[in-house]
Amino acid sequence: MTENEEFIYESIFNQVRMGFLSIDDIKENIMEEIEDNEFEDEISEAWAFEKIDQEYQKLLEESKKWKSPTDTEKLIKAFDDLCDQNIIALHNAGYTTSDGEYEVVEVERELQENGIVSDGYCFYHEQDLARAVIPDNPSLYIAFQKVDNSDEETTLKVGNKVAEVLKNNGLEVNWDGSAKKKIEIPNFRWQHLYDEEGRDLQDYGEVAERMIR
């Protein structure tokens, strides 16, 4: 592959493996990415669609050997538990840390409109998730804090709660107890297939509803 093909292939690999989008949506995204980077003369639609279909078939075959609960299923359960304990926990929240913080504030606003103030939040974003879909030494980093908080003791309380719930759900935790460091889940292998009829992990309205009821 050329350098540009490798660039597009990496995007294909990540989007298929993350499992948040349908194959049709991924194809649309990839064609936009090719056009935005002005790669149309070098990379054809046929090439891109073939790679997407190949990667999806590979993932389908691999999924038949996944052992439940997968790391992803453990994480989903942990995040649900955190929501039940008044901690906002968001999956794939934007592309960067600031994106994730924005999404958290939106959920917090909805909670406060219903008379609830969260005890903190945690999330991972798309760049974090990209580290969990790679074949070698995958890991996932989890950010944590409390909205509008500058007190380190409060921050650490949130971090300790997140770490505790992750461990209780069978996930390994690597964290030095610092308020400035994200919590790492080492050896975390993301295993998730897109399912049109399945739960939308990025439905943050559902997170708010879970915490309100």
Side-chain angles (χ1 to χ4, degrees), residues 135-150:
D136 300 322
N137 301 317
S139 64
L140 186 69
Y141 284 88
I142 309 291
F144 62 89
Q145 183 50 283
K146 179 174 165 59
V147 174
D148 295 330
N149 171 63
S150 57

Side-chain angles (χ1 to χ4, degrees), residues 192-203:
H192 186 60
L193 273 176
Y194 176 79
D195 179 3
E196 190 175 353
E197 304 299 321
R199 176 179 174 186
D200 180 2
L201 296 177
Q202 289 181 286
D203 183 352

Side-chain angles (χ1 to χ4, degrees), residues 91 130 169 173 187 192 206:
H91 294 277
N169 279 277
V173 167
N187 307 309
H192 186 60
E206 185 183 291

Side-chain angles (χ1 to χ4, degrees), residues 109-120:
R109 185 177 291 120
E110 188 172 345
L111 292 177
Q112 291 184 9
E113 286 171 359
N114 287 272
I116 294 170
V117 176
S118 78
D119 292 324

Side-chain angles (χ1 to χ4, degrees), residues 88 102-116:
I88 298 168
Y102 170 83
E103 297 293 351
V104 164
V105 169
E106 291 297 299
V107 175
E108 183 77 21
R109 185 177 291 120
E110 188 172 345
L111 292 177
Q112 291 184 9
E113 286 171 359
N114 287 272
I116 294 170

Side-chain angles (χ1 to χ4, degrees), residues 79-115:
F79 272 29
D80 286 348
D81 289 351
L82 284 162
C83 288
D84 292 341
Q85 296 178 51
N86 205 40
I87 302 284
I88 298 168
L90 304 184
H91 294 277
N92 202 29
Y95 188 69
T96 64
T97 299
S98 58
D99 291 340
E101 289 167 347
Y102 170 83
E103 297 293 351
V104 164
V105 169
E106 291 297 299
V107 175
E108 183 77 21
R109 185 177 291 120
E110 188 172 345
L111 292 177
Q112 291 184 9
E113 286 171 359
N114 287 272

Side-chain angles (χ1 to χ4, degrees), residues 34-92:
I34 289 169
E35 289 167 15
D36 290 346
N37 286 281
E38 299 181 347
F39 294 162
E40 304 101 305
D41 292 341
E42 182 183 346
I43 302 176
S44 68
E45 179 183 281
W47 181 91
F49 285 8
E50 180 185 24
K51 295 299 180 193
I52 292 168
D53 291 336
Q54 284 175 354
E55 283 307 316
Y56 184 65
Q57 286 305 313
K58 275 189 208 170
L59 186 61
L60 274 179
E61 286 303 309
E62 286 177 26
S63 70
K64 295 172 185 176
K65 299 174 184 174
W66 293 349
K67 293 180 181 176
S68 188
T70 64
D71 288 347
T72 307
E73 288 168 340
K74 293 175 185 176
L75 182 70
I76 291 168
K77 175 66 167 51
F79 272 29
D80 286 348
D81 289 351
L82 284 162
C83 288
D84 292 341
Q85 296 178 51
N86 205 40
I87 302 284
I88 298 168
L90 304 184
H91 294 277
N92 202 29

